[in-house]
Amino acid sequence: MIKVIQDDITTLKVDAIVNAANNGLLGGGGVDGAIHAAAGSQLLKFTKTLGGCETGDAKLSSGFKLPAKYIIHTVGPVWQGGVCTESELLSQCYQRSFELAYSNNIKSIAFPAISTGVYGYPKKAAAVIATNCMRQYESKFDEIIVCCFNEADVELYERLLGNSSQAA
Ligand code: AR6
């Protein structure tokens, strides 16, 4: 089941939440900053040992003080006009996050809209990639949550997933 909600991802009691991180994995702004703040300083202590993360890849940590058991840190591409394999890299973020979740027996997983904040990826194009990937992995998980930060994103995802009465 793929569910769309509007919430702060740090509050979700799921097996894993996904973090839209950067290559250093040492925290930052946006959802990354919120996750580090809510998980506590033990998270940074741990991510310092991971040696960073390539764009399009994903790494696992405990959720520390979060209600979620795990955090999957993935690094989305910076939008550069669409000419630098951004779509492949964004798709890889979702795929690698799902693979890591599956291999760790994670059944419920929540994603933010990776790359669509500071990294500037156009929201609709990013949501098409995200929802296509979520559909591919839907049968392997009990619950996939799209955790939107605003109402416009909720409407966008609902439309793409066919959950809304509005025409796409
Ligand atoms: N819960 C759910 N979604 C959120 C939250 C939250 N608490 N906070 C923000 N969002 P961004 P990026 C949404 O900028 O574009 C950081 O500095 C937000 O509205 O967090 O991948 C990292 O360290 C947007 O839709 O991530 C990197 O340097 C989405 O999360 C860089 O930003 C992603 O926005 C990554 O940029």
Side-chain angles (χ1 to χ4, degrees), residues 9-26:
I9 202 164
T10 64
T11 65
L12 302 182
K13 195 171 177 348
V14 284
D15 292 341
I17 63 167
V18 176
N19 181 16
N22 57 48
N23 296 118
L25 293 187
L26 302 178

Side-chain angles (χ1 to χ4, degrees), residues 27-50:
V31 72
D32 193 12
I35 288 171
H36 273 266
S41 57
Q42 289 299 310
L43 173 57
L44 179 59
K45 206 171 162 192
F46 177 76
T47 57
K48 276 181 176 165
T49 69
L50 293 175

